[in-house]
Amino acid sequence: MDGLRFDNHFKDLFDNTSDLVHFLTIEGNIELVNPSWLNTLSFELHEVVGRSIYDFIHPPCREEYKAIRKKAIDEKVKADLLTTFMTKHGKEVVGEGQIGCAYDIDQPLYTRCVFKNITAKKIAGKQIEESEKRLKTFFNSGPDAVIVINEQQLILEWNPKAEIIFGYSVDEVIGKPLSETIVPHQYREAHIKGMAHFLKTGEGPVLNKTLELTALHKKGHEFYINLSVSNVKLGNEWVFIAFLSDITERKKTEESLIRKEAELLKVKLLEERKDEFISIASHELKTPLTTIKAYTQLAISLSEGCSPVIVQYLQKVDQYAGKVNYLINELLDVSRIQAGKLSLTETDVQVESFLPEVLTSIQHITQTHTITLNKIEKANVKVDTIRLEQVITNLISNAAKYSPGQNKIIVNSVKKDNSIVISFTDFGIGIPKEKISKIFDRFYRVDEVAKEFSGLGIGLYVSAEIIKQHGGKIWAESVEGEGSTFYISLPIIN
Ligand code: ADP
């Protein structure tokens, strides 16, 4: 190597320095590199000596390196270098150092480059830069308002979401005490005391928890926020980072749910009181009515020889006492259903004989309509005959009541799958389509008919419960102004 003389110390330094060193001819070919250079770039000495330095520099950096080297040669200065080299395996190594040139009088002899491998530092720097970028993105566009304060409660950071939620721009609040901005007046003293207590004792009951409380908007109104505060020590001082979100909407929904629940509870309590009243009233009415009925019937039996008008009046009393008795029994049934005490006494019954018998026996409940049994198919069912008769009576009396001016009610009984379906058709006022699903509800009456026809709105409710307890179904089809058909289906037994 022309012009280069190693003495022992220089060689020792050259071999052991952690810096990377290479010597190049003026043309840019490698004359010598030190072990640190070889180790870092993963080459053997014989693989590099004589080759152009540009073979080892990352292509995008080559021109810049050339220019720096030219400067060192032409201007006789030590030129600063920051470039990227490539290892044998294609990995990038960032080098930072200087290039200098050796002369024989004015004749450049060779260039020397001494540099440090700063790849790790660069990567760490890049990672910090990226993490800062991520934090900034989160700070600027995250879902929460972020506010940072110091021990004096002075606002250090105030992100764009905080501007939106609280109405203050960052310039309006930076450096101001938090307690003079978004803390509602009634909490300010506690807030200041809480901070003093923390600084004295290290205890902060609100730290690292999620709290729901109210905050003050710039415009003066209070609203609900979700708050969580963390504390970190920076140097000797604590800073407090608060994440806040506006939960006004959620609170509104919660409040309306609570209101709705309270209303439902009120309705339920009222219903319960109503049920209780019905139960007590019907029991209280039942006893004197039974006595009235007994005495009326006794009077009728002893009325021989009395004026026919008196007999007629007694019969009327008996008839109306019967009607009242029917209503009281319905009310008692409602109470039983509510208490889950509507029990059945079932026996095996042949529909083809039971149905005509019942229809004949209840024909008297209507003087205007003739009940016609059109079709009857044979089927055995297991039923409580008294309860089933009650259902049929209710359907027939409704059919007659709600078809004024008509004169017939048609009954059919047809087998379908494993059930017998009995239908009751009238040609009366019908039921509006949108109300059909409600007529089996307790105390429901179609508004339009309530004034014209008397009733309590419980007959279908009780009937539906009875049929349900038999494992059957009840439903209705109707065309307003043309009439209705009510169906009951009961499971057939073999
Ligand atoms: P009520 O007849 O005492 O009002 P129900 O429970 O028997 O009570 O009937 C509930 C409601 O269903 C009635 O108020 C009436 O509006 C309607 N409804 C029942 N049966 C018929 C029918 N055959 N035709 C038209 N509407 C009916």
Side-chain angles (χ1 to χ4, degrees):
M1 184 181 188
D2 282 353
L4 265 184
R5 297 282 176 271
F6 281 95
D7 64 21
N8 284 346
H9 289 100
F10 177 70
K11 183 162 172 16
D12 184 50
L13 177 68
F14 184 74
D15 285 347
N16 292 303
T17 179
S18 60
D19 286 356
L20 289 77
V21 183
H22 62 236
F23 293 96
L24 307 180
T25 64
I26 294 304
E27 292 74 38
N29 294 327
I30 295 175
E31 282 191 330
L32 189 60
V33 297
N34 73 340
S36 198
W37 195 105
L38 292 169
N39 281 343
T40 309
L41 299 179
S42 309
F43 285 103
E44 301 285 335
L45 187 62
H46 67 89
E47 292 175 304
V48 301
V49 171
R51 285 175 65 187
S52 165
I53 188 65
Y54 300 109
D55 291 349
F56 304 94
I57 294 174
H58 191 39
C61 303
R62 284 178 189 162
E63 281 311 309
E64 200 190 356
Y65 184 87
K66 207 181 239 174
I68 295 168
R69 199 167 162 267
K70 190 169 179 312
K71 186 178 173 192
I73 297 168
D74 294 353
E75 298 175 22
K76 296 187 180 178
V77 292
K78 279 185 190 152
D80 289 336
L81 169 81
L82 178 63
T83 197
T84 307
F85 293 87
M86 301 293 291
T87 68
K88 188 172 172 179
H89 312 295
K91 267 170 72 182
E92 294 178 14
V93 171
V94 183
E96 187 180 46
Q98 283 186 326
I99 303 178
C101 184
Y103 295 86
D104 184 3
I105 312 181
D106 270 346
Q107 185 63 34
L109 296 176
Y110 59 87
T111 61
R112 98 188 68 76
C113 179
V114 181
F115 59 96
K116 287 187 191 308
N117 174 7
I118 59 158
T119 315
K121 208 164 106 187
K122 271 270 161 194
I123 291 173
K126 212 168 168 187
Q127 279 172 346
I128 291 171
E129 208 176 281
E130 274 167 12
S131 125
E132 268 176 8
K133 221 156 122 191
R134 276 198 298 273
L135 273 176
K136 208 148 199 80
T137 314
F138 173 73
F139 183 76
N140 285 332
S141 49
D144 290 338
V146 183
I147 300 173
V148 181
I149 61 166
N150 64 10
E151 288 180 359
Q152 291 77 45
Q153 298 200 46
L154 302 179
I155 297 167
L156 306 176
E157 300 279 356
W158 185 266
N159 77 343
K161 196 71 198 236
E163 293 190 333
I164 297 172
I165 294 182
F166 299 104
Y168 289 103
S169 73
V170 63
D171 298 336
E172 287 175 294
V173 290
I174 291 289
K176 283 207 174 146
L178 186 72
S179 56
E180 286 173 24
T181 53
I182 63 164
V183 180
H185 297 277
Q186 66 273 26
Y187 302 137
R188 286 185 179 176
E189 206 187 315
H191 185 74
I192 295 165
K193 275 190 183 157
M195 178 67 96
H197 180 73
F198 171 77
L199 294 175
K200 206 163 139 197
T201 62
E203 288 167 14
V206 300
L207 293 174
N208 302 306
K209 273 184 206 143
T210 304
L211 306 170
E212 280 181 13
L213 34 86
T214 56
L216 197 60
H217 191 272
K218 185 185 174 187
K219 288 186 178 155
H221 59 269
E222 267 182 53
F223 62 103
Y224 274 103
I225 55 157
N226 212 332
L227 165 76
S228 63
V229 187
S230 316
N231 54 322
V232 271
K233 200 144 201 179
L234 289 187
N236 283 333
E237 257 213 80
W238 286 104
V239 293
F240 303 87
I241 308 161
F243 292 86
L244 313 97
S245 54
D246 181 351
I247 54 165
T248 313
E249 284 311 309
R250 206 194 74 202
K251 275 277 162 190
K252 267 191 205 156
T253 320
E254 270 175 21
E255 273 166 18
S256 94
L257 273 177
I258 290 171
R259 254 201 311 276
K260 266 189 203 142
E261 258 172 43
E263 270 162 28
L264 279 177
L265 194 68
K266 206 166 118 192
V267 170
K268 202 173 155 233
L269 284 175
L270 273 176
E271 287 282 307
E272 276 173 16
R273 285 179 64 184
K274 205 154 77 178
D275 291 342
E276 201 183 338
F277 171 78
I278 290 169
S279 168
I280 294 169
S282 39
H283 276 105
E284 289 300 314
L285 290 171
K286 183 87 180 159
T287 321
L289 187 70
T290 312
T291 314
I292 292 171
K293 251 186 121 22
Y295 276 108
T296 315
Q297 275 163 13
L298 186 64
I300 292 171
S301 68
L302 298 174
S303 63
E304 221 183 300
C306 290
S307 143
V309 182
I310 291 181
V311 177
Q312 202 187 335
Y313 286 171
L314 283 173
Q315 275 163 348
K316 277 267 179 239
V317 172
D318 186 48
Q319 189 192 339
Y320 282 101
K323 279 193 178 172
V324 176
N325 193 40
Y326 182 82
L327 290 177
I328 288 173
N329 282 339
E330 271 195 331
L331 286 171
L332 282 169
D333 281 346
V334 172
S335 299
R336 284 187 196 111
I337 291 167
Q338 290 308 112
K341 286 183 186 157
L342 187 86
S343 53
L344 302 180
T345 312
E346 292 179 320
T347 50
D348 291 356
V349 166
Q350 292 173 325
V351 173
E352 65 277 15
S353 52
F354 173 76
L355 190 58
E357 262 172 44
V358 173
L359 293 179
T360 310
S361 76
I362 62 174
Q363 173 63 70
H364 72 274
I365 63 174
T366 165
Q367 265 91 60
T368 47
H369 292 66
T370 310
I371 306 165
T372 309
L373 184 56
N374 245 3
K375 186 170 180 186
I376 180 136
E377 286 184 5
K378 285 187 177 175
N380 289 345
V381 289
K382 200 174 180 67
V383 293
D384 182 323
T385 50
I386 294 174
R387 287 297 183 187
L388 188 58
E389 186 172 336
Q390 182 183 345
V391 173
I392 295 170
T393 306
N394 182 243
L395 295 177
I396 293 286
S397 67
N398 275 353
K401 178 161 75 170
Y402 297 110
S403 63
Q406 299 295 323
N407 57 11
K408 58 178 186 248
I409 297 164
I410 310 287
V411 180
N412 283 311
S413 118
V414 183
K415 270 198 231 172
K416 196 160 183 238
D417 303 327
N418 287 328
S419 298
I420 183 86
V421 179
I422 309 171
S423 63
F424 304 83
T425 302
D426 66 62
F427 304 89
I429 59 170
I431 304 160
K433 212 171 170 185
E434 67 283 3
K435 297 193 170 153
I436 289 194
S437 62
K438 295 190 186 140
I439 57 174
F440 298 98
D441 290 352
R442 194 160 55 123
F443 302 120
Y444 182 81
R445 307 202 70 215
V446 174
D447 299 335
E448 292 83 344
V449 304
K451 281 183 216 110
E452 208 180 317
F453 302 90
S454 67
L456 294 176
I458 49 178
L460 287 181
Y461 167 73
V462 173
S463 300
E465 284 299 319
I466 292 171
I467 295 299
K468 234 192 278 168
Q469 282 208 31
H470 280 88
K473 283 189 195 132
I474 184 164
W475 70 99
E477 287 169 3
S478 183
V479 177
E480 224 182 328
E482 289 184 20
S484 311
T485 300
F486 281 78
Y487 299 88
I488 54 175
S489 86
L490 293 165
I492 295 175
I493 53 161
N494 295 321

